[in-house]
Amino acid sequence: MAQRVLEQMKSLEATRTAGGNGPRAPAGNGGGSGWSREEAAPAATVRVGLWFLLTAVTMLFIAFTVAYAARRTAPDWAPIALPPILWVNTGLLGASSATLEWARRRGRRGDAAGVRGGLTVTTLFGAAFLVGQIAAWRELAAAGVFMATSPHSAFFHLLTAVHGLHLLGGLGALGYALRRTAAPAPAGPVLGGEDLTSAVLGSVAIYWHFLTVLWLYVFFIIWS
Amino acid sequence: MAHVAHAEAQAGHELSFWRKYIFSQDHKVIGIQYALTSMFMAVLGGLLAMFIRLQLGWPGQSWPLLGRLFPSGMPDGQMNQAFYLASVTMHGTIMIFFVLTTLLTGGFGNFLIPLMIGARDMAFPFLNMLSYWLYPPAIIILLASFFVSGGAAGGGWTAYPPLSALPGAAPGSGLGQTLWLISLALLILAFLFGSLNYITTILQLRARGLSMMRLPLTIWGLFVTAILSLLAFPVLLAAAIMLLFDRIGGTSFFVPAGLLIGSVPVDHRGGNPLLWQHLFWFLGHPEVYVLILPPMGMISDILANNARKPIFGYRFMVGSIVAIAFLSFLVWGHHMYTSGMAPVLGTAFMTTTLVIAVPSAIKTFNWLATLWRAKIRFTSAMLFALGFLSLFVTGGLTGIVLAQPPVDIYFQDTFFVVAHFHFVMASAAIFASFAGTYYWFPKMFGRMMNERLGKWHFWLTFVGIYATFFPMHYAGFMGMMRRIYSPQIYAHLQGLQPLNVFVSIAAFVLFAAQFIFLYNFFRSLFRGPQAERNPWRATTLEWEAPSPPPHLNWGETLPTVQRWAYDYSPPDMAEDFQPQAAPAAVPTGRSREGRGDGGHAR
Amino acid sequence: MPTNDTTSGTRRSAALLGIALALLIVAAVVTTLAARSRWWLPPLASAQGRSIDQLFIATFGIISVAFVLVHGLLALFVWLYRDRGQRASYWHENRALELTYTIIPAIVMTGLTLSAAGLWSRIHSAPPPQALVVEVRGEQFGWKARYPGPDGKFGRIDPRHYSARENPWALDPADPAAQDDLVLDISTTGELHLVVDRPVEVRIRAKDVLHSFFIPAFRVKQDAVPGMVTSIWFTPTQTGPYEIACAELCGPLHYIMRGKVVVQTQEEYDAWLAQTRS
């Protein structure tokens, strides 16, 4: 399976050499169509799509935070006390980004076990972050602060919930990366210097780091 | 021919019926799925418009037969107010989101993008399939809302809170409104997945030699539209999520403190209804251009093809598409001149809005210049393209009236606005869709549509549209408000009734005429004469593929582009067109196998 | 196949379309002229309305010229350049021509922007000091109005004191300024009374959902937004009764949300006010 994907990616990479206008070289086995929709899209194309996805997510959060900024300036604004566990969660998410980077570095050295270990730890940190966010909600609820209690609490619940949903998607992506990198990586660089592991990890890392930065942004505006 | 079949068999993996036609990842199948589903929704949306016109033409009249069909909406045959408002709301929602957006981007976009740029499929075929399969559930949820207690949403397609936020405020503000929001959120996800695909595909998978400035304008329209959608729809999604929170979670994003529904105090505090309007129109105005930029592109291509002449001012055309798209993010406030927004913003939004008139004028005159000294063929597609030009101008010009806040004070929320957007956005986009269907049907299904029926369809529709929507301007002059169940109690609207009766009858004829199209469409699907590879003798890449194109579109080799998309009637060539992929100029033009006379690779 | 259309087919289509477009111009002009007598803006009765109508007529003139120009050219071109076996010209760029139809609309739009901006800022300028001040409130499904008492002050509002019969404006009984406020139902039993040639500032509230305060004869429209007080000022110039409509969808009975306004001389107004207060 990985072998087939790899071949596809190799052949597709050849098409990318002319800056998007290149001809599609026939696949290695010759005589085929050279491209089949059943196969994964080449890494560079995935990256382009990914950046546009992040643009859309950014627009979503811009909309929320513009509304938040407008609401905050009203005279009846009353901030709620946010639970300190959020600092722990922030640390967890930051750590998950760090371990993901570590996994990528192992991957570049061809250390498949290191990649799997790094990805597993990243996933665990990510899951712990989500559990921590739920704990923060429960802490607020125990203090009598619910979603509808005040505008500040409404925005807090809204932003953390929507961020959490995106993070859930990120966990799915990590799981996908774990599965894709489970097979022993073929030796030697392909895809113009990028092997399969780093191609997959690279895309997942962009999304995951984006979520970390997004959380820092959300945390900053909701706390300040 | 043999190698094509070979590639087919190899790549197709003998797909099962389900994988081939239902859960297909082939952009052509997905495009056709989108188009057929949109057609179904268009009939539904049109039917709702007939209910609106029935009520406005003959308010208070009883229709016993309809009463038996719709016992809850029309008890004793008389339409009740909630059902009327649900029809108004659903007509708008369905036509804008579930018909035009899905048809233009999901239908034409999916089918045409890979073919016109010489790709085998979209960049992310699985995502593409997912995009389509969010659409039917959204429809089911939307239609289910007609059958819940209180009926479907009745707050207008703009769903302004607090009416849409407070379940007690109106019958349609109950479960119906919640379902409306959920359905819309699903459809927004479908649009976002689609847009991601279109942008990436156009950026990454263009054929060799196809630079951005060689793209046909159809692709430019779809490309810029996808960017608009990607930036605007998340904002509507944000607003929809917040409104759902207000409705279900008891938060107060849009509902201020101290409201009373009847005598019942509302338990919300500290929201702002104008916030919704800002968020909604930040999407809403770009959405208008989502519906008009792909038509502008399609019309440009159809016009050039049938005029046998290059599109005039290609660079200005591209520039004005980009300019219109950019400006569309700066004009949302022109929907809010009377909303209580700070007046100084009104001046700012007026300025940006009137600036849009300039690129629109450029496009109009470039189309006219394309016709000058042309050699016009009056195919059904061309007639609809010319009709588009007329409708776009008529509707666009009244926009200049509405753009000026002092004048808009009077016309805001009157039938003048209804007339305006039905010309410029609704009818124009529908005309472009018809033009596109007549034009690309041979490529989609490998058969020709009937031209005689197409012409009848055009004439009845063109006259029907003007007869239906032009008089609405006068209702607007009189000050007839939108979304009213009956104008009869107002002194200033006395004497209006004959006009409304005329409009209603015209609307019925217009609706009926569309069945000519449906008949032609489905009959041609099975009985139409076989289409050649390039029946219109067009230059663009999709006509290099067989009709219909096989799985993965191209044979062993992909087309290589030599020139721009508009080489019609080039000098010193016998032929009056030179395809984009034809090898560099051959003076006699007849040497290339298979050009213009079909039969290749079928 | 369409490219094999006989010349007569092309000729017929071209003629039909050319004639249809020409007829469209004629029909638009004729029906507009006919509409002026029956289906036109209601007779004008306010000072600002004059400028609004002038701006509208000027704009209408401009767009009519553009409408006739484009449709005329379209009709001409489809007839002249129908397929008669000629070869189309390979003419697709002319910078001067394109700049012309970029610059001319730009100039026209600049002119419209400037004149509309001036009028808009006058409409939304501060109301003159001698202006009458009234409040109106939209609610499902009617309008209410409030005049201040002899103290000239509007009393405080507190929704907790709402009572449909006794205290429909939810006035706070603890506020002395609220004691003498005059609250009228201007949809059923009463009317909004205004003074001819005297500016009036209307402050607009909403009790439940959005409404829009629309007086067609005055060319006045302003949304009633829950949680906000919006305001608009204008000067009625003709005595007589006029219509108030709701122009924002507010629920199933939106269409009956009608109010009444009466413009009187100062003496009549004073007499009405004294009588109503007592």
Side-chain angles (χ1 to χ4, degrees):
Chain A
M1 157 76 189
Q3 187 63 33
R4 199 188 63 171
V5 168
L6 196 71
E7 249 169 46
Q8 279 302 327
M9 290 180 93
K10 204 191 292 182
S11 76
L12 283 162
E13 186 58 25
T15 72
R16 300 282 321 127
T17 49
N21 295 338
R24 282 192 187 83
N29 52 13
S33 65
W35 202 90
S36 156
R37 60 185 171 71
E38 255 66 47
E39 316 303 348
T45 300
V46 171
R47 297 276 161 85
V48 172
L50 189 57
W51 282 112
F52 279 101
L53 172 70
L54 299 189
T55 310
V57 179
T58 307
M59 284 308 291
L60 182 70
F61 277 86
I62 285 178
F64 285 137
T65 49
V66 163
Y68 177 74
R71 186 63 190 82
R72 264 180 69 124
T73 55
D76 62 336
W77 182 259
I80 54 167
L82 291 174
I85 192 177
L86 291 175
W87 289 101
V88 180
N89 296 349
T90 309
L92 284 170
L93 199 57
S96 76
S97 265
T99 54
L100 185 56
E101 273 309 299
W102 183 83
R104 284 183 73 191
R105 201 159 300 163
R106 301 314 299 173
R108 255 172 257 141
R109 295 195 195 143
D111 174 4
V115 170
R116 277 197 302 281
L119 281 178
T120 312
V121 175
T122 307
T123 313
L124 287 178
F125 275 141
F129 170 84
L130 279 187
V131 173
Q133 295 290 78
I134 293 168
W137 289 353
R138 292 183 60 96
E139 220 171 286
L140 278 178
V145 178
F146 299 95
M147 190 160 72
T149 301
S150 77
H152 192 207
S153 75
F155 273 104
F156 173 76
H157 283 87
L158 174 73
L159 287 166
T160 48
V162 178
H163 176 265
L165 273 180
H166 283 87
L167 201 94
L168 215 54
L171 287 179
L174 284 173
Y176 171 79
L178 258 176
R179 215 183 50 150
R180 283 290 290 268
T181 52
V190 291
L191 302 179
E194 205 177 14
D195 62 32
L196 175 68
T197 306
S198 55
V200 171
L201 283 187
S203 299
V204 173
I206 291 173
Y207 185 68
W208 192 261
H209 296 327
F210 171 79
L211 287 179
T212 303
V213 174
L214 183 64
W215 168 249
L216 292 178
Y217 166 70
V218 166
F219 189 41
F220 173 75
I221 63 158
I222 210 87
W223 190 282
S224 62
Chain B
M1 210 172 292
H3 58 247
V4 174
H6 175 64
E8 239 305 39
Q10 220 189 30
H13 306 303
E14 285 96 40
L15 293 175
S16 67
F17 173 82
W18 284 91
R19 292 289 308 279
K20 204 167 172 184
Y21 296 110
I22 309 296
F23 296 104
S24 171
Q25 298 185 24
D26 186 322
H27 74 99
K28 298 181 290 297
V29 178
I30 296 173
I32 290 166
Q33 285 175 329
Y34 256 120
L36 291 178
T37 319
S38 302
M39 272 165 71
F40 167 73
M41 290 306 279
V43 173
L44 218 65
L47 209 59
L48 290 169
M50 297 305 105
F51 280 121
I52 299 170
R53 285 320 313 180
L54 196 67
Q55 170 63 25
L56 288 180
W58 300 272
Q61 182 84 21
S62 183
W63 312 90
L65 191 66
L66 288 173
R68 244 171 286 153
L69 284 173
F70 303 96
S72 58
M74 300 176 78
D76 316 321
Q78 202 177 346
M79 194 179 301
N80 65 33
Q81 292 95 351
F83 185 73
Y84 173 77
L85 289 179
S87 300
V88 170
T89 304
M90 286 298 163
H91 169 69
T93 308
I94 288 177
M95 287 303 201
I96 289 169
F97 294 113
F98 288 79
V99 175
L100 288 173
T101 313
T102 49
L103 178 63
L104 290 165
T105 62
F108 286 105
N110 256 315
F111 188 85
L112 293 177
I113 288 172
L115 280 169
M116 290 182 96
I117 66 169
R120 296 207 181 274
D121 206 314
M122 286 286 179
F124 310 116
F126 181 77
L127 196 65
N128 208 15
M129 178 181 80
L130 204 60
S131 162
Y132 174 74
W133 281 104
L134 284 167
Y135 180 27
I139 292 175
I140 290 168
I141 293 172
L142 190 76
L143 297 187
S145 75
F146 274 104
F147 304 99
V148 300
S149 138
W157 81 281
T158 53
Y160 280 3
L163 184 64
S164 61
L166 303 175
S173 298
L175 186 54
Q177 189 74 50
T178 305
L179 293 177
W180 184 90
L181 284 165
I182 293 171
S183 162
L184 205 61
L186 279 180
L187 198 65
I188 290 171
L189 284 182
F191 293 153
L192 290 176
F193 291 167
S195 301
L196 271 180
N197 236 333
Y198 310 148
I199 295 173
T200 313
T201 306
I202 293 171
L203 284 178
Q204 294 294 106
L205 302 183
R206 295 193 310 278
R208 193 229 267 285
L210 187 56
S211 62
M212 290 302 275
M213 290 312 281
R214 280 179 172 180
L215 285 177
L217 288 167
T218 300
I219 298 297
W220 267 109
L222 289 165
F223 177 62
V224 172
T225 293
I227 295 177
L228 278 187
S229 307
L230 201 72
L231 296 176
F233 274 113
V235 177
L236 181 65
L237 184 61
I241 293 172
M242 288 161 81
L243 190 51
L244 273 174
F245 269 52
D246 272 8
R247 293 180 54 83
I248 296 169
T251 56
S252 305
F253 294 114
F254 304 122
V255 186
L259 299 190
L260 295 148
I261 296 292
S263 306
V264 184
V266 168
D267 186 28
H268 281 269
R269 60 212 110 181
N272 183 351
L274 289 190
L275 177 62
W276 168 271
Q277 297 183 26
H278 281 292
L279 292 174
F280 183 88
W281 287 115
F282 185 84
L283 156 94
H285 207 77
E287 167 67 14
V288 171
Y289 292 100
V290 164
L291 301 189
I292 206 66
L293 291 178
M296 284 174 164
M298 289 155 59
I299 287 311
S300 303
D301 287 357
I302 295 169
L303 225 49
N305 172 265
N306 286 286
R308 310 310 294 164
K309 194 164 166 272
I311 194 77
F312 188 83
Y314 177 79
R315 283 168 185 281
F316 270 62
M317 290 301 236
V318 173
S320 50
I321 286 180
V322 175
I324 289 173
F326 174 74
L327 288 167
S328 75
F329 283 106
L330 305 175
V331 299
W332 79 88
H334 70 216
H335 298 269
M336 297 172 61
Y337 289 145
T338 64
S339 70
M341 177 179 75
V344 60
L345 292 177
T347 311
F349 283 119
M350 162 178 64
T351 311
T352 50
T353 304
L354 286 174
V355 170
I356 289 197
V358 176
S360 307
I362 292 175
K363 295 204 82 80
T364 304
F365 285 107
N366 276 349
W367 286 321
L368 281 176
T370 304
L371 296 178
W372 192 68
R373 291 172 61 188
K375 180 191 175 195
I376 302 173
R377 288 189 316 215
F378 292 93
T379 58
S380 303
M382 183 61 166
L383 287 172
F384 274 102
L386 294 167
F388 167 92
L389 204 55
S390 166
L391 297 173
F392 176 72
V393 168
T394 305
L397 288 171
T398 50
I400 297 173
V401 175
L402 293 170
Q404 302 172 64
V407 185
D408 183 65
I409 292 177
Y410 182 74
F411 288 114
Q412 168 71 17
D413 271 315
T414 65
F415 261 70
F416 191 81
V417 178
V418 177
H420 160 70
F421 69 73
H422 273 96
F423 269 110
V424 76
M425 178 180 90
S427 305
I430 287 276
F431 260 52
S433 307
F434 283 137
T437 308
Y438 286 108
Y439 185 70
W440 280 295
F441 188 91
K443 189 53 65 186
M444 289 184 176
F445 303 106
R447 289 176 188 274
M448 307 296 292
M449 285 181 82
N450 184 308
E451 280 288 313
R452 177 181 289 271
L453 286 175
K455 281 174 186 162
W456 274 102
H457 175 221
F458 167 76
W459 284 109
L460 286 170
T461 308
F462 187 64
V463 174
I465 292 252
Y466 268 100
T468 304
F469 297 114
F470 207 79
M472 286 187 187
H473 291 120
Y474 305 131
F477 286 169
M478 291 185 81
M480 179 177 172
M481 293 79 74
R482 291 171 77 171
R483 295 164 173 170
I484 53 173
Y485 174 71
S486 157
Q488 285 184 324
I489 73 154
Y490 285 100
H492 73 285
L493 299 179
Q494 299 303 316
L496 185 66
Q497 211 44 39
L499 196 74
N500 273 333
V501 170
F502 178 82
V503 168
S504 291
I505 292 171
F508 296 155
V509 173
L510 178 62
F511 184 63
Q514 303 320 304
F515 287 91
I516 300 177
F517 170 78
L518 288 179
Y519 170 76
N520 192 356
F521 186 94
F522 287 105
R523 187 178 175 279
S524 305
L525 214 51
F526 302 104
R527 296 270 186 82
Q530 294 283 326
E532 301 164 14
R533 192 171 55 83
N534 188 0
W536 313 118
R537 302 158 63 78
T539 54
T540 40
L541 285 183
E542 76 273 29
W543 303 103
E544 298 288 318
S547 303
H551 184 60
L552 301 181
N553 300 343
W554 317 99
E556 196 166 343
T557 49
L558 290 163
T560 306
V561 172
Q562 305 289 346
R563 61 187 64 76
W564 74 326
Y566 298 99
D567 233 17
Y568 286 107
S569 303
D572 47 80
M573 252 188 86
E575 283 277 2
D576 69 348
F577 75 113
Q578 182 159 228
Q580 276 193 286
V586 181
T588 50
R590 260 288 165 196
S591 60
R592 193 168 165 274
E593 184 231 338
R595 176 180 326 150
D597 48 17
H600 174 69
R602 271 191 58 86
Chain C
M1 189 169 125
T3 40
N4 292 345
D5 253 4
T6 55
T7 319
S8 73
T10 305
R11 195 185 151 86
R12 193 172 59 230
S13 284
L16 265 175
L17 195 60
I19 292 167
L21 291 167
L23 274 180
L24 181 63
I25 298 174
V26 175
V29 172
V30 169
T31 53
T32 304
L33 291 177
R36 282 192 65 97
S37 61
R38 273 195 82 170
W39 296 312
W40 206 251
L41 285 73
L44 181 66
S46 77
Q48 67 167 10
R50 183 178 306 282
S51 316
I52 291 178
D53 283 10
Q54 280 166 355
L55 185 59
F56 165 64
I57 293 299
T59 312
F60 195 73
I62 292 170
I63 66 171
S64 300
V65 170
F67 176 84
V68 172
L69 176 74
V70 173
H71 281 90
L73 286 176
L74 196 57
L76 198 65
F77 287 179
V78 297
W79 173 248
L80 285 182
Y81 304 118
R82 66 187 189 277
D83 181 356
R84 284 179 293 179
Q86 81 275 29
R87 191 177 175 88
S89 120
Y90 191 73
W91 176 73
H92 58 81
E93 219 151 24
N94 185 323
R95 200 42 61 87
L97 180 65
E98 287 180 272
L99 284 177
T100 309
Y101 52 66
T102 306
I103 290 166
I104 290 176
I107 292 171
V108 175
M109 291 308 134
T110 310
L112 283 179
T113 306
L114 291 177
S115 56
L119 178 55
W120 179 246
S121 64
R122 259 181 290 146
I123 290 171
H124 280 282
S125 58
Q130 81 277 17
L132 192 67
V133 181
V134 295
E135 280 195 354
V136 298
R137 190 184 72 187
E139 60 189 59
Q140 290 178 328
F141 295 95
W143 296 98
K144 286 195 170 55
R146 169 163 76 148
Y147 289 79
D151 60 357
K153 282 189 210 151
F154 289 111
R156 205 168 44 234
I157 296 171
D158 186 338
R160 281 173 300 184
H161 297 290
Y162 178 83
S163 154
R165 284 256 180 79
E166 281 88 48
N167 192 358
W169 203 273
L171 293 166
D172 184 352
D175 182 9
Q179 305 296 326
D180 57 359
D181 284 3
L182 177 63
V183 173
L184 301 168
D185 185 330
I186 58 173
S187 281
T188 53
T189 51
E191 293 132 345
L192 180 69
H193 288 249
L194 302 178
V195 181
V196 68
D197 291 329
R198 180 171 170 194
V200 54
E201 181 192 357
V202 182
R203 296 182 186 160
I204 304 162
R205 296 172 178 275
K207 167 170 160 278
D208 34 42
V209 298
L210 288 168
H211 303 276
S212 191
F213 181 73
F214 178 30
I215 305 180
F218 298 167
R219 315 293 190 255
V220 161
K221 188 181 288 147
Q222 181 66 52
D223 285 7
V225 185
M228 278 171 73
V229 182
T230 55
S231 89
I232 184 101
W233 76 268
F234 54 90
T235 312
T237 52
Q238 310 274 330
T239 56
Y242 299 98
E243 293 261 64
I244 304 173
C246 175
E248 186 71 73
L249 176 58
C250 58
L253 298 184
H254 166 54
Y255 75 108
I256 60 157
M257 190 170 155
R258 174 192 180 203
K260 287 168 280 182
V261 53
V262 174
V263 179
Q264 300 170 304
T265 61
Q266 185 72 47
E267 298 80 60
E268 288 168 338
Y269 173 79
D270 290 340
W272 164 79
L273 196 62
Q275 192 202 350
T276 316
R277 275 198 184 132
S278 59

